[in-house]
């Protein structure tokens, strides 16, 4: 009887130690889907939340988002174009990994990083944008192009006209940019490391402004008026 009790005790101890030492299977809390980028040069992301985008050649393209029955993510392909639609809520709930062959992005609120140097990229931004990475030529255009009514006071930007685009930020935080062109009517353009940015052209509306930091030289910046802004009366041709 004593021998059986000892064996039972040892067996129970073995099961206990195994439960502690052996790795447990982690619950699946995210969906990961491969992206077929063959022939794709444009990616259009329509998301209800902020999107985290990484350009890399070190890992295959993919899409990652939380598991849930109350949201949907769809991917559709057209000639040269990939469209991703998501109603997932939450901060940076959608993670997208893309190759350096993409030449155009259409996004809303996005944080974009590149761990590989890009040749050229055009971004149409409908909300806040944060950029980090190296690129030869980067062109950023905000998605708000509504013409201000002529009855607006000079220099004023009615809140109803720029909402929900009032106070948006286009921030270029780190990375070498050979040539940067930004066009916006109402956003704040932030050049956080201006020393690593080459020729810069900012086409700004009356409601836009820019700031820069990290400058140890006079930056090469050209300021242009936004083409959608009404001309001053003296500038109009009779």
């Amino acid at each position: 009887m004593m021998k059986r009790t000892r064996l039972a005790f040892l067996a129970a101890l073995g099961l206990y130690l195994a439960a502690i030492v052996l790795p447990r299977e982690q619950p699946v809390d995210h969906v990961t889907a491969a992206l077929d980028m063959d022939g794709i040069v444009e990616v259009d992301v329509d998301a209800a939340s902020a999107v985290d985008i990484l350009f890399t050649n070190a890992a295959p393209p993919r899409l990652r988002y939380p598991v849930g029955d109350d949201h949907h993510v769809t991917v559709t392909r057209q000639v040269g174009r990939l469209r991703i639609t998501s109603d997932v809520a939450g901060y940076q709930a959608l993670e997208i990994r893309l190759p350096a062959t993409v030449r155009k992005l259409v996004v809303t609120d996005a944080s974009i990083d590149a761990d590989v140097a890009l040749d050229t990229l055009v971004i149409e931004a409908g909300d806040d944008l944060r950029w980090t990475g190296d690129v030869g030529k980067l062109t950023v255009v905000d998605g708000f192009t509504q013409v201000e009514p002529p009855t607006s006071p000079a220099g004023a930007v009615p809140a109803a006209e720029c909402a929900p685009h009032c106070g948006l930020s286009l921030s270029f935080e780190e990375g070498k940019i050979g040539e940067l062109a930004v066009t916006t009517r109402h956003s704040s353009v932030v050049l956080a490391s201006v020393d690593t940015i080459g020729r810069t052209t900012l086409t700004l509306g009356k409601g836009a402004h820019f700031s820069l930091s990290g400058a140890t030289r006079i930056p090469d910046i050209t300021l242009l008026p936004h083409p959608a802004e009404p001309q001053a009366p003296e500038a109009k041709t009779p």
Side-chain angles (χ1 to χ4, degrees):
M1 185 67 178
M2 183 66 68
K3 186 175 182 180
R4 289 184 180 178
T5 303
R6 185 178 300 172
L7 290 175
F9 172 76
L10 291 176
L13 180 61
L15 291 174
Y16 173 75
L17 293 175
I20 295 177
V21 175
L22 293 178
R24 299 181 182 181
E25 185 176 348
Q26 296 295 324
V28 177
D29 56 358
H30 281 79
V31 176
T32 301
L35 294 176
D36 179 8
M37 299 299 297
D38 186 26
I40 298 296
V41 294
E42 177 181 341
V43 176
D44 185 345
V45 183
D46 183 4
S49 61
V51 179
D52 191 2
I53 298 176
L54 173 64
F55 281 95
T56 182
N57 288 334
R62 75 170 190 185
L63 176 66
R64 187 173 184 265
Y65 56 93
V67 170
D69 297 329
D70 58 344
H71 53 248
H72 303 85
V73 178
T74 60
V75 179
T76 56
R77 286 175 56 93
Q78 296 177 344
V79 179
R81 180 172 175 261
L82 189 77
R83 178 173 174 81
I84 301 171
T85 304
S86 167
D87 60 1
V88 180
Y91 179 69
Q92 292 185 340
L94 195 65
E95 299 176 12
I96 304 172
R97 199 160 60 196
L98 299 174
T101 51
V102 173
R103 291 291 178 262
K104 181 178 180 181
L105 273 180
V106 180
V107 293
T108 47
D109 187 349
S111 178
I112 304 174
D113 292 87
D115 68 9
V116 59
L118 306 181
D119 292 330
T120 180
L121 182 66
V122 175
I123 302 176
E124 291 184 8
D127 209 307
D128 288 340
L129 176 72
R130 295 158 297 281
W131 170 271
T132 300
D134 297 347
V135 57
K137 181 177 181 180
L138 181 61
T139 302
V140 177
V141 181
D142 74 11
F144 183 68
T145 57
Q146 182 178 345
V147 177
E148 193 173 308
T151 55
S152 300
V157 181
E161 289 300 314
C162 69
H165 301 271
C166 306
L168 297 185
S169 174
L170 307 176
S171 180
F172 304 89
E173 299 178 357
E174 293 181 7
K176 295 180 180 179
I177 303 176
E179 184 177 348
L180 175 64
V182 180
T183 300
T184 178
R185 291 192 67 201
H186 302 292
S187 298
S188 169
V189 181
V190 180
L191 308 179
S193 300
V194 72
D195 268 3
T196 63
I197 302 175
R199 178 180 299 176
T200 302
T201 302
L202 303 180
T203 303
L204 306 178
K206 295 176 182 177
H209 63 277
F210 76 96
S211 63
L212 53 88
S213 61
T216 61
R217 56 174 175 79
I218 298 177
D220 183 2
I221 298 178
T222 300
L223 299 179
L224 299 175
H226 197 286
E229 296 288 355
Q231 290 181 312
E234 62 273 13
K236 295 181 179 179
T237 302

